[in-house]
Amino acid sequence: MLNYMETPDKGKMRINVVQRGSRIPVENAKVSISYSGDPTQVIEEIQIDANGQSEDLSLAAPPLEYSMEPGQNQPYSEYNLKITADGFEPVTVSGSEVLPDVTAYQRVEMDSIINLNQNLDTVVIGPHTLYGDYPPKIAEAEIKPITGTGEIVLSRVVVPEYIIIHDGPVTDNSAADYYERYRDYIKNVAACEIYATWPREALEANILAIMSFTMNRVYTEWYRNKGYDFTITSSTAFDHKWIRGKNTYDTIDTIVDEIFTNYLSRPNVNQPILTQYCDGKRVSCPEWMTQLQVRINMVGRHCSEVEICCKRQPPQAANPAKQDSFLWDSAMFMNNSSILQSFLQLFDIQSFQQ
């Protein structure tokens, strides 16, 4: 368990409380904050303003180097929030994650009380993918064949208003489906998959990969063609990690808002590529996934080596769907913008048609 007495660094948290399914603020809500490791000890009590916003709260966080070189030390602190407001059902958020030197944005949605019995809505935020134990991605072709008859495929790449997330593995019929605005979905996934303390180049490169993967699922109607009614899953074995109610961060949100219309594609290929990735450390990527891999080996916070491994496509493999697949290492591009530029030359950066 993380000892908060040994975390001299600080991070910030800003809480936004709204009515469920809208951006209408819940005025004058009360929030009590405690450490996840000791939920009975309230360390802060605040009141939300008329705009549904809190002030920026300064909270203890682990040393910055824990997130700059992910390892066995938990790089974020975890807090529990209990939110109450007149006329609304209380909400508890368990495990909101605070990183040093960045601001965590915790959005809370509240339901109006519809009867005399108050029900407590509990949001549980699981571990970050670079720290927790999640199944590795099952490899797929980065470009999907679109040659069969009867397939549902979009005529062009467009920005979806909403993503429908199946909160579990593909075949788990008991898992709930959630509607999330596209930009909010990308912010949530990025906050689950990478650390917001990383340099902008690292964040931007990884967010581009997340958006391209997501838009491949949208453009090819991948799951709908298999008879499912959702866009994507929250399982790391099939897609990205997405956690209902997960807090995001100022650094990630800013980049997503700036580049959310972009995606990666291959020259002369219309569809966004399925940019698959692993962390390159705790999860070892098998050889059959590394046909095209860009990896940076880290020493401390500095890049010591860039290795670009590329197998040329056999001449007989004329189908673009059989092109070498790209495997993303989520610790790429740390503190070196030239690496980002070299990597991006492998692809075309396209913009959505809106």
Side-chain angles (χ1 to χ4, degrees), residues 12-28:
K12 292 182 179 180
M13 178 185 290
R14 184 184 304 169
I15 304 166
N16 176 217
V17 184
V18 297
Q19 299 180 29
R20 186 173 300 282
S22 75
R23 300 185 183 274
I24 301 173
V26 174
E27 300 180 19
N28 303 319

Side-chain angles (χ1 to χ4, degrees), residues 158-164 179-185 218:
V158 295
V159 180
E161 184 175 1
Y162 287 92
I163 298 291
I164 305 174
Y179 283 74
E180 184 94 301
R181 293 180 184 274
Y182 173 76
R183 265 196 280 186
D184 293 338
Y185 169 77
V218 172

Side-chain angles (χ1 to χ4, degrees), residues 31-92:
V31 182
S32 62
I33 304 170
S34 61
Y35 299 128
S36 291
D38 188 4
T40 61
Q41 181 182 352
V42 176
I43 60 171
E44 194 96 45
E45 290 184 313
I46 62 170
Q47 182 163 318
I48 300 298
D49 64 22
N51 296 316
Q53 298 276 353
S54 76
E55 60 184 9
D56 287 353
L57 306 170
S58 181
L59 299 170
L64 179 64
E65 54 265 27
Y66 288 4
S67 58
M68 298 305 289
E69 187 182 8
Q72 294 185 352
N73 293 314
Q74 181 173 315
Y76 52 86
S77 51
E78 297 173 290
Y79 293 90
N80 289 357
L81 314 177
K82 184 174 181 180
I83 304 95
T84 58
D86 292 341
F88 292 88
E89 296 177 352
V91 177
T92 293

Side-chain angles (χ1 to χ4, degrees), residues 277-325:
Y277 52 86
C278 69
D279 63 16
K281 291 191 174 183
R282 293 179 308 105
V283 178
S284 178
C285 308
E287 286 300 316
W288 51 273
M289 292 177 69
T290 55
Q291 291 173 308
L292 176 58
Q293 178 179 2
V294 180
R295 181 165 63 186
I296 294 177
N297 299 318
M298 300 291 299
V299 174
R301 293 175 55 187
H302 302 281
C303 303
S304 61
E305 181 182 354
V306 180
E307 181 184 4
I308 301 179
C309 305
C310 181
K311 284 186 179 179
R312 293 187 179 276
Q313 180 180 324
Q316 64 270 25
N319 187 340
K322 295 182 180 178
Q323 286 187 21
D324 297 336
S325 62

